[in-house]
PDB file of all heavy atoms in Angstrom:
ATOM      1  N   TYR W 166     105.493 122.125  88.578  1.00  0.00           N
ATOM      2  CA  TYR W 166     106.322 121.101  87.940  1.00  0.00           C
ATOM      3  C   TYR W 166     107.289 120.481  88.943  1.00  0.00           C
ATOM      4  O   TYR W 166     107.376 119.257  89.073  1.00  0.00           O
ATOM      5  CB  TYR W 166     107.092 121.689  86.759  1.00  0.00           C
ATOM      6  CG  TYR W 166     108.136 120.735  86.228  1.00  0.00           C
ATOM      7  CD1 TYR W 166     107.768 119.677  85.386  1.00  0.00           C
ATOM      8  CD2 TYR W 166     109.475 120.861  86.597  1.00  0.00           C
ATOM      9  CE1 TYR W 166     108.716 118.777  84.919  1.00  0.00           C
ATOM     10  CE2 TYR W 166     110.424 119.963  86.130  1.00  0.00           C
ATOM     11  CZ  TYR W 166     110.050 118.926  85.313  1.00  0.00           C
ATOM     12  OH  TYR W 166     110.990 118.032  84.861  1.00  0.00           O
ATOM     13  N   TYR W 167     108.037 121.346  89.655  1.00  0.00           N
ATOM     14  CA  TYR W 167     109.023 120.824  90.603  1.00  0.00           C
ATOM     15  C   TYR W 167     108.363 120.054  91.742  1.00  0.00           C
ATOM     16  O   TYR W 167     108.849 119.001  92.163  1.00  0.00           O
ATOM     17  CB  TYR W 167     109.868 121.971  91.171  1.00  0.00           C
ATOM     18  CG  TYR W 167     110.904 122.518  90.210  1.00  0.00           C
ATOM     19  CD1 TYR W 167     110.938 123.882  89.910  1.00  0.00           C
ATOM     20  CD2 TYR W 167     111.850 121.687  89.625  1.00  0.00           C
ATOM     21  CE1 TYR W 167     111.882 124.393  89.024  1.00  0.00           C
ATOM     22  CE2 TYR W 167     112.802 122.191  88.749  1.00  0.00           C
ATOM     23  CZ  TYR W 167     112.810 123.549  88.454  1.00  0.00           C
ATOM     24  OH  TYR W 167     113.749 124.044  87.587  1.00  0.00           O
ATOM     25  N   TYR W 168     107.255 120.590  92.241  1.00  0.00           N
ATOM     26  CA  TYR W 168     106.595 119.926  93.361  1.00  0.00           C
ATOM     27  C   TYR W 168     106.036 118.558  92.958  1.00  0.00           C
ATOM     28  O   TYR W 168     106.254 117.550  93.643  1.00  0.00           O
ATOM     29  CB  TYR W 168     105.488 120.794  93.937  1.00  0.00           C
ATOM     30  CG  TYR W 168     104.837 120.141  95.131  1.00  0.00           C
ATOM     31  CD1 TYR W 168     105.426 120.245  96.402  1.00  0.00           C
ATOM     32  CD2 TYR W 168     103.674 119.408  94.998  1.00  0.00           C
ATOM     33  CE1 TYR W 168     104.853 119.622  97.495  1.00  0.00           C
ATOM     34  CE2 TYR W 168     103.101 118.776  96.094  1.00  0.00           C
ATOM     35  CZ  TYR W 168     103.689 118.894  97.342  1.00  0.00           C
ATOM     36  OH  TYR W 168     103.123 118.256  98.420  1.00  0.00           O
ATOM     37  N   LEU W 169     105.315 118.513  91.842  1.00  0.00           N
ATOM     38  CA  LEU W 169     104.728 117.252  91.407  1.00  0.00           C
ATOM     39  C   LEU W 169     105.792 116.243  91.005  1.00  0.00           C
ATOM     40  O   LEU W 169     105.640 115.034  91.220  1.00  0.00           O
ATOM     41  CB  LEU W 169     103.742 117.492  90.265  1.00  0.00           C
ATOM     42  CG  LEU W 169     102.498 118.289  90.666  1.00  0.00           C
ATOM     43  CD1 LEU W 169     101.649 118.607  89.441  1.00  0.00           C
ATOM     44  CD2 LEU W 169     101.670 117.529  91.695  1.00  0.00           C
ATOM     45  N   GLU W 170     106.900 116.739  90.453  1.00  0.00           N
ATOM     46  CA  GLU W 170     108.008 115.843  90.143  1.00  0.00           C
ATOM     47  C   GLU W 170     108.659 115.322  91.427  1.00  0.00           C
ATOM     48  O   GLU W 170     109.080 114.163  91.495  1.00  0.00           O
ATOM     49  CB  GLU W 170     109.045 116.543  89.267  1.00  0.00           C
ATOM     50  CG  GLU W 170     110.193 115.651  88.811  1.00  0.00           C
ATOM     51  CD  GLU W 170     109.740 114.433  87.996  1.00  0.00           C
ATOM     52  OE1 GLU W 170     108.667 114.492  87.375  1.00  0.00           O
ATOM     53  OE2 GLU W 170     110.480 113.432  87.993  1.00  0.00           O
ATOM     54  N   ALA W 171     108.729 116.172  92.453  1.00  0.00           N
ATOM     55  CA  ALA W 171     109.241 115.714  93.747  1.00  0.00           C
ATOM     56  C   ALA W 171     108.361 114.599  94.315  1.00  0.00           C
ATOM     57  O   ALA W 171     108.859 113.598  94.839  1.00  0.00           O
ATOM     58  CB  ALA W 171     109.310 116.887  94.734  1.00  0.00           C
ATOM     59  N   VAL W 172     107.048 114.776  94.194  1.00  0.00           N
ATOM     60  CA  VAL W 172     106.106 113.738  94.648  1.00  0.00           C
ATOM     61  C   VAL W 172     106.328 112.457  93.843  1.00  0.00           C
ATOM     62  O   VAL W 172     106.367 111.350  94.399  1.00  0.00           O
ATOM     63  CB  VAL W 172     104.655 114.223  94.518  1.00  0.00           C
ATOM     64  CG1 VAL W 172     103.670 113.086  94.792  1.00  0.00           C
ATOM     65  CG2 VAL W 172     104.398 115.374  95.477  1.00  0.00           C
ATOM     66  N   ASN W 173     106.490 112.608  92.530  1.00  0.00           N
ATOM     67  CA  ASN W 173     106.727 111.455  91.661  1.00  0.00           C
ATOM     68  C   ASN W 173     108.015 110.724  92.053  1.00  0.00           C
ATOM     69  O   ASN W 173     108.044 109.483  92.139  1.00  0.00           O
ATOM     70  CB  ASN W 173     106.792 111.904  90.207  1.00  0.00           C
ATOM     71  CG  ASN W 173     107.044 110.751  89.255  1.00  0.00           C
ATOM     72  OD1 ASN W 173     106.340 109.749  89.269  1.00  0.00           O
ATOM     73  ND2 ASN W 173     108.056 110.902  88.405  1.00  0.00           N
ATOM     74  N   GLN W 174     109.085 111.494  92.306  1.00  0.00           N
ATOM     75  CA  GLN W 174     110.355 110.881  92.700  1.00  0.00           C
ATOM     76  C   GLN W 174     110.234 110.207  94.052  1.00  0.00           C
ATOM     77  O   GLN W 174     110.805 109.125  94.286  1.00  0.00           O
ATOM     78  CB  GLN W 174     111.457 111.950  92.735  1.00  0.00           C
ATOM     79  CG  GLN W 174     111.830 112.514  91.382  1.00  0.00           C
ATOM     80  CD  GLN W 174     112.395 111.462  90.443  1.00  0.00           C
ATOM     81  OE1 GLN W 174     113.136 110.569  90.863  1.00  0.00           O
ATOM     82  NE2 GLN W 174     112.037 111.564  89.164  1.00  0.00           N
ATOM     83  N   ARG W 175     109.492 110.818  94.963  1.00  0.00           N
ATOM     84  CA  ARG W 175     109.280 110.196  96.283  1.00  0.00           C
ATOM     85  C   ARG W 175     108.538 108.870  96.144  1.00  0.00           C
ATOM     86  O   ARG W 175     108.882 107.878  96.777  1.00  0.00           O
ATOM     87  CB  ARG W 175     108.528 111.154  97.188  1.00  0.00           C
ATOM     88  CG  ARG W 175     108.251 110.604  98.590  1.00  0.00           C
ATOM     89  CD  ARG W 175     106.788 110.306  98.777  1.00  0.00           C
ATOM     90  NE  ARG W 175     106.003 111.532  98.709  1.00  0.00           N
ATOM     91  CZ  ARG W 175     104.693 111.523  98.549  1.00  0.00           C
ATOM     92  NH1 ARG W 175     104.042 110.379  98.404  1.00  0.00           N
ATOM     93  NH2 ARG W 175     104.022 112.661  98.496  1.00  0.00           N
ATOM     94  N   GLN W 176     107.539 108.843  95.272  1.00  0.00           N
ATOM     95  CA  GLN W 176     106.771 107.612  95.084  1.00  0.00           C
ATOM     96  C   GLN W 176     107.618 106.518  94.452  1.00  0.00           C
ATOM     97  O   GLN W 176     107.356 105.330  94.655  1.00  0.00           O
ATOM     98  CB  GLN W 176     105.531 107.901  94.237  1.00  0.00           C
ATOM     99  CG  GLN W 176     104.499 108.738  94.982  1.00  0.00           C
ATOM    100  CD  GLN W 176     103.309 109.105  94.118  1.00  0.00           C
ATOM    101  OE1 GLN W 176     103.398 109.125  92.895  1.00  0.00           O
ATOM    102  NE2 GLN W 176     102.185 109.391  94.761  1.00  0.00           N
ATOM    103  N   GLN W 177     108.642 106.923  93.676  1.00  0.00           N
ATOM    104  CA  GLN W 177     109.573 105.961  93.104  1.00  0.00           C
ATOM    105  C   GLN W 177     110.749 105.651  94.037  1.00  0.00           C
ATOM    106  O   GLN W 177     111.666 104.947  93.668  1.00  0.00           O
ATOM    107  CB  GLN W 177     110.111 106.488  91.769  1.00  0.00           C
ATOM    108  CG  GLN W 177     109.040 106.653  90.695  1.00  0.00           C
ATOM    109  CD  GLN W 177     109.625 107.136  89.384  1.00  0.00           C
ATOM    110  OE1 GLN W 177     110.589 106.582  88.858  1.00  0.00           O
ATOM    111  NE2 GLN W 177     109.044 108.199  88.834  1.00  0.00           N
ATOM    112  N   GLU W 178     110.685 106.216  95.250  1.00  0.00           N
ATOM    113  CA  GLU W 178     111.700 106.022  96.288  1.00  0.00           C
ATOM    114  C   GLU W 178     113.043 106.643  95.912  1.00  0.00           C
ATOM    115  O   GLU W 178     114.093 106.237  96.416  1.00  0.00           O
ATOM    116  CB  GLU W 178     111.869 104.541  96.629  1.00  0.00           C
ATOM    117  CG  GLU W 178     110.594 103.895  97.144  1.00  0.00           C
ATOM    118  CD  GLU W 178     110.787 102.456  97.583  1.00  0.00           C
ATOM    119  OE1 GLU W 178     111.886 101.888  97.368  1.00  0.00           O
ATOM    120  OE2 GLU W 178     109.834 101.882  98.145  1.00  0.00           O
ATOM    121  N   ASN W 179     113.014 107.645  95.025  1.00  0.00           N
ATOM    122  CA  ASN W 179     114.212 108.424  94.722  1.00  0.00           C
ATOM    123  C   ASN W 179     114.216 109.645  95.644  1.00  0.00           C
ATOM    124  O   ASN W 179     113.943 110.776  95.222  1.00  0.00           O
ATOM    125  CB  ASN W 179     114.226 108.846  93.252  1.00  0.00           C
ATOM    126  CG  ASN W 179     114.269 107.663  92.316  1.00  0.00           C
ATOM    127  OD1 ASN W 179     114.939 106.659  92.600  1.00  0.00           O
ATOM    128  ND2 ASN W 179     113.581 107.754  91.194  1.00  0.00           N
ATOM    129  N   TYR W 180     114.504 109.421  96.909  1.00  0.00           N
ATOM    130  CA  TYR W 180     114.265 110.431  97.921  1.00  0.00           C
ATOM    131  C   TYR W 180     115.225 111.608  97.852  1.00  0.00           C
ATOM    132  O   TYR W 180     114.847 112.741  98.134  1.00  0.00           O
ATOM    133  CB  TYR W 180     114.312 109.776  99.309  1.00  0.00           C
ATOM    134  CG  TYR W 180     113.322 108.653  99.435  1.00  0.00           C
ATOM    135  CD1 TYR W 180     113.725 107.389  99.842  1.00  0.00           C
ATOM    136  CD2 TYR W 180     111.968 108.850  99.134  1.00  0.00           C
ATOM    137  CE1 TYR W 180     112.814 106.360  99.956  1.00  0.00           C
ATOM    138  CE2 TYR W 180     111.058 107.830  99.236  1.00  0.00           C
ATOM    139  CZ  TYR W 180     111.471 106.574  99.654  1.00  0.00           C
ATOM    140  OH  TYR W 180     110.573 105.559  99.762  1.00  0.00           O
ATOM    141  N   ASP W 181     116.464 111.355  97.454  1.00  0.00           N
ATOM    142  CA  ASP W 181     117.406 112.467  97.339  1.00  0.00           C
ATOM    143  C   ASP W 181     116.991 113.410  96.205  1.00  0.00           C
ATOM    144  O   ASP W 181     117.106 114.625  96.327  1.00  0.00           O
ATOM    145  CB  ASP W 181     118.819 111.950  97.096  1.00  0.00           C
ATOM    146  CG  ASP W 181     119.382 111.232  98.316  1.00  0.00           C
ATOM    147  OD1 ASP W 181     118.951 111.568  99.437  1.00  0.00           O
ATOM    148  OD2 ASP W 181     120.227 110.326  98.146  1.00  0.00           O
ATOM    149  N   ALA W 182     116.507 112.829  95.111  1.00  0.00           N
ATOM    150  CA  ALA W 182     116.032 113.662  94.001  1.00  0.00           C
ATOM    151  C   ALA W 182     114.822 114.480  94.446  1.00  0.00           C
ATOM    152  O   ALA W 182     114.707 115.672  94.115  1.00  0.00           O
ATOM    153  CB  ALA W 182     115.672 112.777  92.812  1.00  0.00           C
ATOM    154  N   ALA W 183     113.930 113.844  95.212  1.00  0.00           N
ATOM    155  CA  ALA W 183     112.755 114.574  95.724  1.00  0.00           C
ATOM    156  C   ALA W 183     113.188 115.730  96.605  1.00  0.00           C
ATOM    157  O   ALA W 183     112.639 116.835  96.518  1.00  0.00           O
ATOM    158  CB  ALA W 183     111.855 113.613  96.506  1.00  0.00           C
ATOM    159  N   PHE W 184     114.193 115.497  97.438  1.00  0.00           N
ATOM    160  CA  PHE W 184     114.708 116.531  98.332  1.00  0.00           C
ATOM    161  C   PHE W 184     115.222 117.732  97.531  1.00  0.00           C
ATOM    162  O   PHE W 184     114.919 118.886  97.845  1.00  0.00           O
ATOM    163  CB  PHE W 184     115.822 115.957  99.214  1.00  0.00           C
ATOM    164  CG  PHE W 184     116.404 116.931 100.191  1.00  0.00           C
ATOM    165  CD1 PHE W 184     115.866 117.064 101.462  1.00  0.00           C
ATOM    166  CD2 PHE W 184     117.495 117.707  99.855  1.00  0.00           C
ATOM    167  CE1 PHE W 184     116.399 117.954 102.373  1.00  0.00           C
ATOM    168  CE2 PHE W 184     118.041 118.611 100.759  1.00  0.00           C
ATOM    169  CZ  PHE W 184     117.492 118.735 102.021  1.00  0.00           C
ATOM    170  N   GLU W 185     115.997 117.465  96.510  1.00  0.00           N
ATOM    171  CA  GLU W 185     116.556 118.550  95.693  1.00  0.00           C
ATOM    172  C   GLU W 185     115.462 119.323  94.972  1.00  0.00           C
ATOM    173  O   GLU W 185     115.506 120.556  94.857  1.00  0.00           O
ATOM    174  CB  GLU W 185     117.562 117.983  94.686  1.00  0.00           C
ATOM    175  CG  GLU W 185     118.798 117.372  95.314  1.00  0.00           C
ATOM    176  CD  GLU W 185     119.582 118.378  96.144  1.00  0.00           C
ATOM    177  OE1 GLU W 185     119.611 119.580  95.778  1.00  0.00           O
ATOM    178  OE2 GLU W 185     120.156 117.976  97.174  1.00  0.00           O
ATOM    179  N   LEU W 186     114.456 118.623  94.473  1.00  0.00           N
ATOM    180  CA  LEU W 186     113.352 119.291  93.791  1.00  0.00           C
ATOM    181  C   LEU W 186     112.573 120.203  94.729  1.00  0.00           C
ATOM    182  O   LEU W 186     112.129 121.288  94.336  1.00  0.00           O
ATOM    183  CB  LEU W 186     112.423 118.247  93.175  1.00  0.00           C
ATOM    184  CG  LEU W 186     112.994 117.520  91.946  1.00  0.00           C
ATOM    185  CD1 LEU W 186     112.228 116.234  91.690  1.00  0.00           C
ATOM    186  CD2 LEU W 186     112.935 118.430  90.710  1.00  0.00           C
ATOM    187  N   LEU W 187     112.438 119.787  95.967  1.00  0.00           N
ATOM    188  CA  LEU W 187     111.750 120.640  96.945  1.00  0.00           C
ATOM    189  C   LEU W 187     112.544 121.901  97.246  1.00  0.00           C
ATOM    190  O   LEU W 187     111.973 122.951  97.551  1.00  0.00           O
ATOM    191  CB  LEU W 187     111.486 119.854  98.236  1.00  0.00           C
ATOM    192  CG  LEU W 187     110.434 118.751  98.096  1.00  0.00           C
ATOM    193  CD1 LEU W 187     110.425 117.855  99.334  1.00  0.00           C
ATOM    194  CD2 LEU W 187     109.043 119.344  97.868  1.00  0.00           C
ATOM    195  N   GLN W 188     113.870 121.822  97.144  1.00  0.00           N
ATOM    196  CA  GLN W 188     114.680 123.029  97.292  1.00  0.00           C
ATOM    197  C   GLN W 188     114.388 124.023  96.167  1.00  0.00           C
ATOM    198  O   GLN W 188     114.349 125.235  96.396  1.00  0.00           O
ATOM    199  CB  GLN W 188     116.179 122.661  97.299  1.00  0.00           C
ATOM    200  CG  GLN W 188     116.584 121.715  98.419  1.00  0.00           C
ATOM    201  CD  GLN W 188     116.267 122.251  99.799  1.00  0.00           C
ATOM    202  OE1 GLN W 188     116.503 123.419 100.106  1.00  0.00           O
ATOM    203  NE2 GLN W 188     115.710 121.390 100.634  1.00  0.00           N
ATOM    204  N   HIS W 189     114.150 123.506  94.965  1.00  0.00           N
ATOM    205  CA  HIS W 189     113.761 124.374  93.843  1.00  0.00           C
ATOM    206  C   HIS W 189     112.412 125.034  94.133  1.00  0.00           C
ATOM    207  O   HIS W 189     112.211 126.216  93.812  1.00  0.00           O
ATOM    208  CB  HIS W 189     113.685 123.569  92.550  1.00  0.00           C
ATOM    209  CG  HIS W 189     115.011 123.164  91.997  1.00  0.00           C
ATOM    210  ND1 HIS W 189     115.962 124.073  91.564  1.00  0.00           N
ATOM    211  CD2 HIS W 189     115.566 121.945  91.787  1.00  0.00           C
ATOM    212  CE1 HIS W 189     117.026 123.454  91.115  1.00  0.00           C
ATOM    213  NE2 HIS W 189     116.813 122.146  91.237  1.00  0.00           N
ATOM    214  N   CYS W 190     111.509 124.268  94.731  1.00  0.00           N
ATOM    215  CA  CYS W 190     110.199 124.822  95.080  1.00  0.00           C
ATOM    216  C   CYS W 190     110.349 126.023  96.005  1.00  0.00           C
ATOM    217  O   CYS W 190     109.714 127.064  95.810  1.00  0.00           O
ATOM    218  CB  CYS W 190     109.332 123.763  95.757  1.00  0.00           C
ATOM    219  SG  CYS W 190     108.770 122.439  94.669  1.00  0.00           S
ATOM    220  N   LEU W 191     111.182 125.878  97.025  1.00  0.00           N
ATOM    221  CA  LEU W 191     111.364 126.962  97.991  1.00  0.00           C
ATOM    222  C   LEU W 191     112.118 128.138  97.389  1.00  0.00           C
ATOM    223  O   LEU W 191     111.956 129.273  97.826  1.00  0.00           O
ATOM    224  CB  LEU W 191     112.081 126.445  99.240  1.00  0.00           C
ATOM    225  CG  LEU W 191     111.236 125.531 100.134  1.00  0.00           C
ATOM    226  CD1 LEU W 191     112.061 125.001 101.294  1.00  0.00           C
ATOM    227  CD2 LEU W 191     110.001 126.264 100.656  1.00  0.00           C
ATOM    228  N   ALA W 192     112.950 127.869  96.384  1.00  0.00           N
ATOM    229  CA  ALA W 192     113.631 128.975  95.694  1.00  0.00           C
ATOM    230  C   ALA W 192     112.614 129.823  94.935  1.00  0.00           C
ATOM    231  O   ALA W 192     112.752 131.045  94.842  1.00  0.00           O
ATOM    232  CB  ALA W 192     114.691 128.416  94.741  1.00  0.00           C
ATOM    233  N   ILE W 193     111.594 129.170  94.399  1.00  0.00           N
ATOM    234  CA  ILE W 193     110.545 129.885  93.675  1.00  0.00           C
ATOM    235  C   ILE W 193     109.600 130.595  94.645  1.00  0.00           C
ATOM    236  O   ILE W 193     109.222 131.744  94.455  1.00  0.00           O
ATOM    237  CB  ILE W 193     109.754 128.915  92.781  1.00  0.00           C
ATOM    238  CG1 ILE W 193     110.664 128.325  91.706  1.00  0.00           C
ATOM    239  CG2 ILE W 193     108.548 129.616  92.144  1.00  0.00           C
ATOM    240  CD1 ILE W 193     110.050 127.139  90.976  1.00  0.00           C
ATOM    241  N   CYS W 194     109.213 129.886  95.685  1.00  0.00           N
ATOM    242  CA  CYS W 194     108.295 130.448  96.686  1.00  0.00           C
ATOM    243  C   CYS W 194     108.807 130.072  98.077  1.00  0.00           C
ATOM    244  O   CYS W 194     108.525 128.971  98.569  1.00  0.00           O
ATOM    245  CB  CYS W 194     106.878 129.922  96.475  1.00  0.00           C
ATOM    246  SG  CYS W 194     105.681 130.607  97.653  1.00  0.00           S
ATOM    247  N   PRO W 195     109.537 130.960  98.726  1.00  0.00           N
ATOM    248  CA  PRO W 195     110.127 130.648 100.043  1.00  0.00           C
ATOM    249  C   PRO W 195     109.095 130.452 101.148  1.00  0.00           C
ATOM    250  O   PRO W 195     109.476 130.074 102.266  1.00  0.00           O
ATOM    251  CB  PRO W 195     111.001 131.887 100.334  1.00  0.00           C
ATOM    252  CG  PRO W 195     111.239 132.517  99.019  1.00  0.00           C
ATOM    253  CD  PRO W 195     109.993 132.271  98.222  1.00  0.00           C
ATOM    254  N   THR W 196     107.827 130.699 100.860  1.00  0.00           N
ATOM    255  CA  THR W 196     106.792 130.536 101.878  1.00  0.00           C
ATOM    256  C   THR W 196     105.793 129.437 101.500  1.00  0.00           C
ATOM    257  O   THR W 196     104.661 129.444 101.978  1.00  0.00           O
ATOM    258  CB  THR W 196     106.035 131.856 102.102  1.00  0.00           C
ATOM    259  OG1 THR W 196     105.456 132.276 100.860  1.00  0.00           O
ATOM    260  CG2 THR W 196     106.975 132.942 102.629  1.00  0.00           C
ATOM    261  N   ALA W 197     106.192 128.498 100.647  1.00  0.00           N
ATOM    262  CA  ALA W 197     105.291 127.442 100.197  1.00  0.00           C
ATOM    263  C   ALA W 197     105.107 126.388 101.292  1.00  0.00           C
ATOM    264  O   ALA W 197     106.035 125.639 101.595  1.00  0.00           O
ATOM    265  CB  ALA W 197     105.841 126.780  98.938  1.00  0.00           C
ATOM    266  N   PRO W 198     103.924 126.290 101.892  1.00  0.00           N
ATOM    267  CA  PRO W 198     103.737 125.357 103.008  1.00  0.00           C
ATOM    268  C   PRO W 198     103.856 123.892 102.613  1.00  0.00           C
ATOM    269  O   PRO W 198     104.335 123.074 103.399  1.00  0.00           O
ATOM    270  CB  PRO W 198     102.323 125.678 103.502  1.00  0.00           C
ATOM    271  CG  PRO W 198     101.636 126.332 102.353  1.00  0.00           C
ATOM    272  CD  PRO W 198     102.698 127.065 101.614  1.00  0.00           C
ATOM    273  N   THR W 199     103.443 123.553 101.376  1.00  0.00           N
ATOM    274  CA  THR W 199     103.531 122.158 100.963  1.00  0.00           C
ATOM    275  C   THR W 199     104.980 121.679 100.908  1.00  0.00           C
ATOM    276  O   THR W 199     105.292 120.542 101.284  1.00  0.00           O
ATOM    277  CB  THR W 199     102.874 121.968  99.595  1.00  0.00           C
ATOM    278  OG1 THR W 199     103.277 123.037  98.732  1.00  0.00           O
ATOM    279  CG2 THR W 199     101.365 121.968  99.713  1.00  0.00           C
ATOM    280  N   ALA W 200     105.874 122.528 100.437  1.00  0.00           N
ATOM    281  CA  ALA W 200     107.288 122.163 100.385  1.00  0.00           C
ATOM    282  C   ALA W 200     107.854 122.003 101.799  1.00  0.00           C
ATOM    283  O   ALA W 200     108.622 121.065 102.069  1.00  0.00           O
ATOM    284  CB  ALA W 200     108.073 123.213  99.612  1.00  0.00           C
ATOM    285  N   PHE W 201     107.480 122.900 102.696  1.00  0.00           N
ATOM    286  CA  PHE W 201     107.943 122.769 104.078  1.00  0.00           C
ATOM    287  C   PHE W 201     107.418 121.482 104.713  1.00  0.00           C
ATOM    288  O   PHE W 201     108.138 120.809 105.466  1.00  0.00           O
ATOM    289  CB  PHE W 201     107.488 123.973 104.912  1.00  0.00           C
ATOM    290  CG  PHE W 201     108.328 125.197 104.703  1.00  0.00           C
ATOM    291  CD1 PHE W 201     107.772 126.362 104.177  1.00  0.00           C
ATOM    292  CD2 PHE W 201     109.677 125.208 105.033  1.00  0.00           C
ATOM    293  CE1 PHE W 201     108.553 127.501 103.987  1.00  0.00           C
ATOM    294  CE2 PHE W 201     110.463 126.340 104.854  1.00  0.00           C
ATOM    295  CZ  PHE W 201     109.898 127.489 104.320  1.00  0.00           C
ATOM    296  N   TYR W 202     106.170 121.143 104.410  1.00  0.00           N
ATOM    297  CA  TYR W 202     105.619 119.908 104.977  1.00  0.00           C
ATOM    298  C   TYR W 202     106.388 118.684 104.492  1.00  0.00           C
ATOM    299  O   TYR W 202     106.784 117.806 105.286  1.00  0.00           O
ATOM    300  CB  TYR W 202     104.140 119.729 104.616  1.00  0.00           C
ATOM    301  CG  TYR W 202     103.670 118.345 104.939  1.00  0.00           C
ATOM    302  CD1 TYR W 202     103.389 117.986 106.251  1.00  0.00           C
ATOM    303  CD2 TYR W 202     103.594 117.374 103.954  1.00  0.00           C
ATOM    304  CE1 TYR W 202     103.031 116.694 106.565  1.00  0.00           C
ATOM    305  CE2 TYR W 202     103.234 116.083 104.269  1.00  0.00           C
ATOM    306  CZ  TYR W 202     102.957 115.741 105.570  1.00  0.00           C
ATOM    307  OH  TYR W 202     102.616 114.454 105.881  1.00  0.00           O
TER     308      TYR W 202
END
């Protein structure tokens, strides 16, 4: 949910929101390569 919403926010050019959502991704899985990318 957080990752796909981050992608959605990025596509809408809401980049700060995407950044925060990716932080949630890493909180859930600190080794998630897609979030690091």
Side-chain angles (χ1 to χ4, degrees):
Y166 170 79
Y167 285 125
Y168 182 82
L169 293 174
E170 184 59 25
V172 172
N173 180 53
Q174 292 298 322
R175 180 250 295 165
Q176 290 176 337
Q177 297 182 51
E178 300 184 353
N179 297 323
Y180 303 126
D181 291 333
F184 181 90
E185 294 301 326
L186 288 162
L187 290 169
Q188 300 302 315
H189 287 297
C190 290
L191 289 176
I193 296 167
C194 181
T196 59
T199 44
F201 281 118
Y202 168 77

